[in-house]
Amino acid sequence: MFSEKHGDAIDLSHHLSAIARARLESPLKGMAKYLGKPGLISLAGGLPSPAYFPFASVSGEVLAYDSFSLKTSPESSSSWFWNWFSGSRSKERTTTVTIGKYPKQPEDINLASSLQYGLAKGLPQLQDILNEFVRKVYQPAYGNWTTLVHTGNTDGWGKVVLTLFNPGEGLLCSEWTYPSAMASAIPFSVTPVPVKMDSQGMRSDDLRRILEEWDDQTRGMLRPRVLYTVPVGQNPTGATMLEERKKEIYEICVEYDIIIVEDDPYYFLQVGPYVLKSERDQEKDLSSASDDVFIAGLAPSYLKVDYQGRVIRLDTFSKTIAPGSRLGWFTCNPMFAERLERAAETSTQAPCGFGQALVTSALLEWKYDGYIRWLKGLRAEYKQRRDYLVDCLADEFHLRPVVGTHGYRAGTIMYEASLKPPKGIFVDFKEKDTLYSRIFSLVPPTAGMFVWLEMHFDDHPSFAELGYKKLEMKLWIALVEAGILFGPGQMFAATPVTDETDGTGHFRVSFSFNDNDELHKAVSIFGTVVRKFFSSRV
């Protein structure tokens, strides 16, 4: 059962890998804790003099935290960003931020320290911001959690792999998962162990089944000790895991002594269920709620149910500020943080000084309330983008709502798509079977940046001859040649799929970057290519 908050993390040091146990504190980095001593003259480190840094100052125009409208109607979709992108910048409201080489006040962000060799914990000002943010938003259920910066979640995950895994161990993950995470772990002889999914992502009942039935000899490895999950905007399906499911999975992990790695880059892009255009009511949208109601309305982090300190959470500024900042952070218990910090101290990939300085300056300008307002505006923008892409698919195809019954679609509203007759073209009776058969289906994502299309190749004339994997690749190539690039579904399978009798393929389609005109054009091309592809043998 869940305990009261603010007890300390339990001892989980037995989960450290052999590499993590052997990794000693860097002797030079260990001296850094003395650098803040008043009056200290340090002649120990090989620090270049800031006098020789070629940057006297760095200035930037920071956008107002309320630059994005909280409305999510189509009328608000032509946001200031696209006006700016097309050359019209009259609506921008900015504040000039200048970072000098040396501080005027002790607490000032400055280039002399930001561009110098630094601690893995990050700039002190940034650490204060992160601690306030985690405490107010994620509300960890134990008291001695800590934060530590990294250079983005892929880098953070790479450090976790080195800290937790020994060669030959297994990794629990969803059956469809983020391929870069698997690619980072597999070279260390880590084997993905897929867990079945439903509309909330990983299923707790299948996780329990796998652990209960685990046999070391049959599997050829020990029972896995680590679970990797993208619980919000699950990549690639777009599912969002709610609190009750997280509690179920967490308690299973307590029972079987498993560490949860929560990779959560899309947390503030929880856009809610898709609603048909005719039924939308922007007054009920979460983005327009008060800050407290907004945060309470989001699916909580695993940290909120983590009373033992067994969750390592990965956050990033890549999706909320800019990927090029190369900045994110861990939230975890102090023992894991210490070992992750040692990994960072010996890593060639340290957080970017400019990135830390610029992001921290923007957050200090906005303050906590301003950053929450910024995030609410981002959520509204991405909700509009999700809605517009699905709206385009609804205009191009017949979308029929049905209740999903299996796999990642179980228990949710999904839409089955069939072809519409070309405009102005008479449909011969013989063509009706092709037009009204299923071409693909989708569950509109409740978070993230992607629509996950399931292609029904079992109705294709060449399915018996080629199977779904070859058909998926042939259609993908046809789409590329026609001018659009989707993510082919096979790369998102946790383990290679060998069953060709399953007639479905997949594509991951992003709505995060392109403007409405490009999204509309892409869907139109998709419709044209699919119409031709499903009408003849290939």
Side-chain angles (χ1 to χ4, degrees):
M1 296 299 293
F2 288 84
S3 64
E4 293 296 323
K5 292 184 179 182
H6 306 311
D8 285 347
I10 66 172
D11 182 6
L12 294 165
S13 58
H14 57 283
H15 281 289
L16 294 174
S17 68
I19 289 177
R21 292 174 186 276
R23 183 177 282 127
L24 302 176
E25 181 180 63
S26 168
L28 290 174
K29 297 292 184 180
M31 292 189 293
K33 61 185 177 183
Y34 298 108
L35 294 180
K37 184 178 179 180
L40 180 73
I41 300 174
S42 174
L43 304 179
L47 279 63
S49 171
Y52 304 136
F53 295 171
F55 306 98
S57 66
V58 174
S59 296
E61 300 294 316
V62 178
L63 291 168
Y65 58 76
D66 58 352
S67 293
F68 299 105
S69 171
L70 298 182
K71 297 179 179 179
T72 57
S73 61
E75 290 76 16
S76 67
S77 63
S78 56
S79 67
W80 64 265
F81 176 80
W82 296 112
N83 291 331
W84 172 84
F85 203 67
S86 62
S88 173
R89 303 180 63 177
S90 60
K91 293 185 179 181
E92 280 190 355
R93 291 181 294 111
T94 64
T95 300
T96 300
V97 172
T98 299
I99 305 169
K101 180 176 286 190
Y102 301 104
K104 295 180 180 179
Q105 302 294 330
E107 67 275 10
D108 287 349
I109 302 292
N110 62 88
L111 298 178
S113 59
S114 298
L115 301 185
Q116 188 56 270
Y117 292 121
L119 299 176
K121 287 184 177 295
L123 295 175
Q125 299 93 328
L126 177 60
Q127 194 173 13
D128 290 341
I129 291 168
L130 297 180
N131 289 340
E132 178 187 20
F133 187 81
V134 170
R135 183 178 68 255
K136 291 182 177 179
V137 176
Y138 301 140
Q139 305 166 30
Y142 67 102
N144 63 335
W145 53 271
T146 189
T147 58
L148 182 74
V149 297
H150 54 64
T151 65
N153 281 12
T154 300
D155 168 62
W157 168 243
K159 290 181 171 65
V160 169
V161 170
L162 288 173
T163 300
L164 296 183
F165 288 98
N166 293 308
E169 293 188 329
L171 167 61
L172 295 161
C173 61
S174 298
E175 58 185 327
W176 295 104
T177 192
Y178 180 49
S180 293
M182 300 302 104
S184 298
I186 289 172
F188 294 93
S189 297
V190 174
T191 301
V193 179
V195 182
K196 293 180 180 179
M197 300 171 63
D198 63 13
S199 61
Q200 288 192 52
M202 183 179 289
R203 281 171 41 184
S204 56
D205 61 341
D206 195 56
L207 175 63
R208 178 172 290 282
R209 178 194 63 79
I210 289 171
L211 296 172
E212 285 180 346
E213 297 176 358
W214 191 273
D215 180 80
D216 294 351
Q217 287 190 331
T218 302
R219 290 278 193 164
M221 58 184 170
L222 298 175
R223 192 175 65 208
R225 300 179 295 107
V226 180
L227 182 151
Y228 171 83
T229 180
V230 182
V232 172
Q234 199 275 341
N235 193 352
T237 68
T240 298
M241 187 179 292
L242 303 181
E243 183 172 10
E244 191 59 34
R245 176 66 60 80
K246 286 174 177 165
K247 287 181 178 180
E248 294 169 2
I249 289 177
Y250 185 85
E251 286 298 348
I252 293 171
C253 290
V254 169
E255 181 179 348
Y256 287 91
D257 192 21
I258 292 168
I259 303 302
I260 298 172
V261 183
E262 181 179 31
D263 185 357
D264 213 353
Y266 308 110
Y267 186 80
F268 284 96
L269 304 186
Q270 298 186 42
V271 296
Y274 173 77
V275 177
L276 295 172
K277 281 190 289 187
S278 60
E279 300 175 9
R280 288 176 197 158
D281 183 355
Q282 66 186 40
E283 296 302 319
K284 296 180 180 179
D285 188 72
L286 187 61
S287 297
S288 300
S290 67
D291 290 353
D292 289 343
V293 172
F294 172 69
I295 292 171
L298 299 174
S301 166
Y302 266 104
L303 290 174
K304 193 171 182 179
V305 303
D306 179 21
Y307 56 85
Q308 292 189 335
R310 64 175 60 249
V311 172
I312 300 176
R313 180 179 169 86
L314 305 178
D315 273 290
T316 179
F317 289 108
S318 293
K319 307 302 189 291
T320 60
I321 291 186
S325 67
R326 304 313 310 147
L327 190 60
W329 75 96
F330 302 100
T331 305
C332 58
N333 78 50
M335 184 276 298
F336 285 140
E338 178 191 13
R339 298 296 167 157
L340 291 165
E341 186 172 6
R342 290 185 184 182
E345 287 171 350
T346 56
S347 171
T348 58
Q349 191 174 23
C352 170
F354 279 121
Q356 285 198 71
L358 292 173
V359 170
T360 304
S361 295
L363 296 175
L364 287 172
E365 175 67 27
W366 290 340
K367 299 183 171 41
Y368 171 82
D369 292 342
Y371 186 44
I372 295 298
R373 173 60 180 80
W374 172 266
L375 294 171
K376 290 164 71 174
L378 284 184
R379 178 194 179 276
E381 289 286 312
Y382 281 102
K383 178 178 173 61
Q384 183 278 322
R385 288 168 177 274
R386 186 277 312 269
D387 288 350
Y388 187 79
L389 178 58
V390 179
D391 290 346
C392 288
L393 291 169
D395 290 340
E396 183 72 22
F397 299 90
H398 286 293
L399 293 188
R400 184 173 70 94
V402 297
V403 177
T405 58
H406 66 280
Y408 64 87
R409 301 168 298 175
T412 191
I413 299 297
M414 57 178 281
Y415 292 85
E416 293 185 340
S418 57
L419 293 172
K420 287 182 178 179
K423 292 181 180 179
I425 301 298
F426 173 76
V427 179
D428 186 86
F429 181 79
K430 295 180 181 179
E431 297 178 348
K432 288 186 177 181
D433 288 343
T434 300
L435 287 172
Y436 299 117
S437 63
R438 293 182 311 166
I439 299 296
F440 64 88
S441 59
L442 74 148
V443 177
T446 53
M449 295 179 166
F450 311 105
V451 170
W452 183 238
L453 301 181
E454 179 169 304
M455 306 301 301
H456 296 287
F457 291 125
D458 48 344
D459 290 330
H460 192 279
S462 299
F463 174 68
E465 175 188 349
L466 298 178
Y468 89 90
K469 288 199 291 186
K470 289 182 180 179
L471 286 172
E472 178 182 287
M473 189 52 57
K474 285 182 176 292
L475 177 55
W476 182 80
I477 292 172
L479 291 169
V480 173
E481 291 176 345
I484 54 173
L485 182 65
F486 290 170
Q490 295 174 45
M491 69 170 60
F492 298 95
T495 54
V497 180
T498 59
D499 182 10
E500 287 286 358
T501 62
D502 181 357
T504 59
H506 295 86
F507 292 120
R508 194 189 72 171
V509 183
S510 171
F511 53 81
S512 59
F513 180 78
N514 304 88
D515 65 19
N516 285 356
D517 288 342
E518 289 177 320
L519 290 176
H520 185 272
K521 181 179 180 181
V523 171
S524 178
I525 293 172
F526 177 58
T528 299
V529 173
V530 162
R531 186 182 305 278
K532 179 179 180 181
F533 187 83
F534 276 84
S535 64
S536 61
R537 298 179 67 86
V538 294

